[in-house]
Amino acid sequence: MSADISEVQLQVRFITKQEQYAVPDSPYAIQSNVQSSELNTLINALLKESSAAVEKAVEFDFLVCGELLCTSLSEHLQEKAVSTEETIEIEYLERFPAPAPQDCLMHDDWVSTVQAHQNWILSGSYDNSLHIWSTKGQHKLAIPGHTSPVKAVCWVSFNGDQAVFASGSHDQSAMLWIWNVARNSVDCVVTCRGHDKGVECLAVSADATRFVTGSWDNNICLWSASLSDEDNVPSKKRSKPEHGNSREPLSTLKGHREAVSGVQWMDFNTVLSSGWDHLLKIWDCELGGIKQDVAGNKAFFDANWSPLNNSIITASADRHIRLYDPRSTESIVKTTFTSHTGWVQSVRWSTTRDTLFLSAGYDGQVKLWETRSPRTPLYDLSGHEDKVLCCDWSNPALLVSGSSDNTLRIFKAKHYGTA
């Protein structure tokens, strides 16, 4: 390819899957050194000519050879070793708008875990407490009970005025709680004991009947999420009645050689786990065995699977985020995302868009990624002043993160429908 590729004229054809933004399907001649901003101007001009329906300018992203255009077109083509003699196909799609900072919620200590559900946000802190907030930033409750830092929280169910949630702590226990929303009162109904070291992660099954915990004792425990003891044998009364009944695990999954850093249900019987032993494991809960092992080259701090695309993203000790396809027979790592300058601590897929995910790192950054842009995140959601320990995108409208700067930050997604 010639060195002066940046100045040549190219034949391009514009295509889109968003039919409301389609332009005439004929080749256009453009300068090869254009960037996405100039392509945006061109597409909007073509739309104005051909479609009365599009009233105001639309921001687009551009896919060339399967990757978002983040440099000039000539650099992009040179990197992909694409000939400038051929007609280049450029796909365009409406850009996901920049999330807007909405709130900063102060805690008394590091915010280590967070999960949103509809109008509520649950957070856990290093001061051993749990907190419930409204999505508008109102502090509803501070909940004592654990005796060490809270490392995992998860909503279990909402039923009218009653919400159930679970928490896991370095005090080696997990607790099930009932929140009476109308009275704004909380009771711990069950304390789950089965780990020999701190609980690091927790996940509730889709049918809200069971949950799993991962621990520094290298094990994963499977628990009933039932609030009554009828279907939980064995169970014995605890000496401290305010902490409810004590419950033992239904089963224990053993296989990791170091701490379990993340757990997630993939279906009613399958659990994904990540570990400090550089392994991802996919478990059959019924049989108590491992369906699949995926070996990484660094400790995994988190893993998240998306039912929308059947892919796993992982957070690691080497600054990189990796996308794995567990079904692949060839290379199982499909993409590596590089922008963080420190350990990546937490990753979460969007629940509505199969190409978007969130990451949080020790560099103090929260980043919003598009899977087709591995070196340039769509947005940096800045504001934290120290290590970011957790992130959450359970509510499609809210991107939430917690940090060792003692804050929980909320960004609002301006447009969060499916692509």
Side-chain angles (χ1 to χ4, degrees):
M1 204 178 292
S2 60
D4 61 348
I5 177 178
S6 61
E7 291 151 30
V8 301
Q9 278 222 327
L10 294 176
Q11 291 283 313
V12 300
R13 195 184 294 276
F14 293 109
I15 59 166
T16 184
K17 295 189 175 98
Q18 296 169 308
E19 287 173 26
Q20 73 271 33
Y21 299 134
V23 298
D25 181 26
S26 47
Y28 298 88
I30 61 170
Q31 287 295 113
S32 63
N33 60 353
V34 297
Q35 305 216 351
S36 59
S37 55
E38 291 135 306
L39 292 176
N40 245 312
T41 306
L42 173 57
I43 293 291
N44 275 288
L46 293 170
L47 279 173
K48 219 168 187 178
E49 283 172 24
S50 61
S51 169
V54 181
E55 289 170 14
K56 55 178 197 243
V58 181
E59 289 284 310
F60 293 104
D61 276 323
F62 298 88
L63 278 168
V64 184
C65 310
E67 203 169 295
L68 282 193
L69 183 64
C70 298
T71 58
S72 70
L73 185 55
S74 54
E75 285 175 77
H76 192 93
L77 294 174
Q78 213 159 9
E79 195 176 295
K80 297 284 181 194
V82 174
S83 166
T84 53
E85 305 296 313
E86 298 162 27
T87 301
I88 309 294
E89 205 167 78
I90 300 178
E91 183 184 339
Y92 57 101
L93 59 151
E94 190 176 356
R95 178 175 297 162
F96 190 86
Q102 181 180 301
D103 247 317
C104 177
L105 310 180
M106 288 302 301
H107 291 60
D108 290 335
D109 208 333
W110 294 8
V111 182
S112 43
T113 175
V114 63
Q115 193 186 46
H117 180 85
Q118 294 173 356
N119 298 325
W120 308 110
I121 297 170
L122 186 59
S123 64
S125 172
Y126 267 70
D127 67 1
N128 312 346
S129 66
L130 298 152
H131 297 267
I132 298 174
W133 311 78
S134 78
T135 50
K136 300 258 190 298
Q138 183 191 5
H139 189 231
K140 299 295 286 184
L141 274 175
I143 306 161
H146 284 291
T147 56
S148 289
V150 178
K151 292 305 297 283
V153 291
C154 204
W155 294 104
V156 177
S157 60
F158 278 81
N159 188 0
D161 257 350
Q162 179 178 284
V164 179
F165 57 91
S167 60
S169 163
H170 276 181
D171 65 13
Q172 304 180 14
S173 75
M175 291 182 177
L176 278 173
W177 307 79
I178 295 179
W179 176 35
N180 183 308
V181 181
R183 289 205 311 265
N184 197 27
S185 63
V186 163
D187 289 303
C188 173
V189 283
V190 180
T191 299
C192 302
R193 296 199 174 278
H195 288 294
D196 296 331
K197 289 185 179 173
V199 174
E200 181 68 12
C201 50
L202 184 154
V204 177
S205 62
D207 64 3
T209 61
R210 292 171 299 166
F211 67 98
V212 285
T213 50
S215 165
W216 286 87
D217 66 6
N218 310 348
N219 295 336
I220 295 163
C221 285
L222 178 67
W223 312 85
S224 165
S226 166
L227 299 177
S228 68
D229 277 333
E230 290 156 29
D231 50 349
N232 296 298
V233 183
S235 177
K236 53 188 181 296
K237 200 76 178 164
R238 287 203 64 212
S239 57
K240 283 185 179 171
E242 76 272 17
H243 285 92
N245 289 340
S246 183
R247 179 172 296 170
E248 294 183 7
L250 299 171
S251 61
T252 301
L253 306 174
K254 300 187 174 194
H256 279 290
R257 295 190 300 276
E258 288 187 54
V260 181
S261 56
V263 283
Q264 184 188 0
W265 292 83
M266 296 173 77
D267 62 36
F268 68 95
N269 184 45
T270 309
V271 165
L272 165 71
S273 66
S274 59
W276 280 61
D277 56 4
H278 304 192
L279 290 173
L280 300 174
K281 290 179 184 287
I282 298 174
W283 302 83
D284 182 315
C285 289
E286 207 175 313
L287 298 174
I290 297 164
K291 286 185 180 181
Q292 191 179 350
D293 263 337
V294 177
N297 57 354
K298 284 279 188 296
F300 288 116
F301 297 148
D302 198 13
N304 195 235
W305 170 80
S306 170
L308 302 179
N309 56 29
N310 223 329
S311 298
I312 298 166
I313 41 170
T314 61
S316 282
D318 64 354
R319 302 182 294 111
H320 303 298
I321 300 155
R322 291 177 179 81
L323 188 151
Y324 291 82
D325 180 355
R327 302 155 301 172
S328 176
T329 49
E330 300 141 34
S331 166
I332 205 160
V333 177
K334 292 298 172 194
T335 320
T336 302
F337 301 88
T338 306
S339 172
H340 280 287
T341 55
W343 284 8
V344 186
Q345 185 62 28
S346 181
V347 282
R348 289 293 180 271
W349 282 108
S350 160
T351 55
T352 55
R353 314 265 296 216
D354 66 352
T355 61
L356 297 183
F357 68 88
L358 203 55
S359 68
Y362 273 26
D363 55 5
Q365 294 294 317
V366 179
K367 294 174 185 281
L368 173 56
W369 297 86
E370 225 283 359
T371 52
R372 295 164 296 190
S373 178
R375 281 166 304 178
T376 310
L378 284 186
Y379 302 106
D380 287 335
L381 311 183
S382 54
H384 284 299
E385 293 169 4
D386 207 337
K387 299 187 290 282
V388 188
L389 306 176
C390 56
C391 63
D392 178 70
W393 203 355
S394 304
N395 177 336
L398 300 176
L399 297 85
V400 191
S401 56
S403 163
S404 53
D405 64 7
N406 300 3
T407 68
L408 186 155
R409 287 191 175 268
I410 304 172
F411 278 76
K412 186 144 180 58
K414 291 180 184 167
H415 156 78
Y416 53 91
T418 50

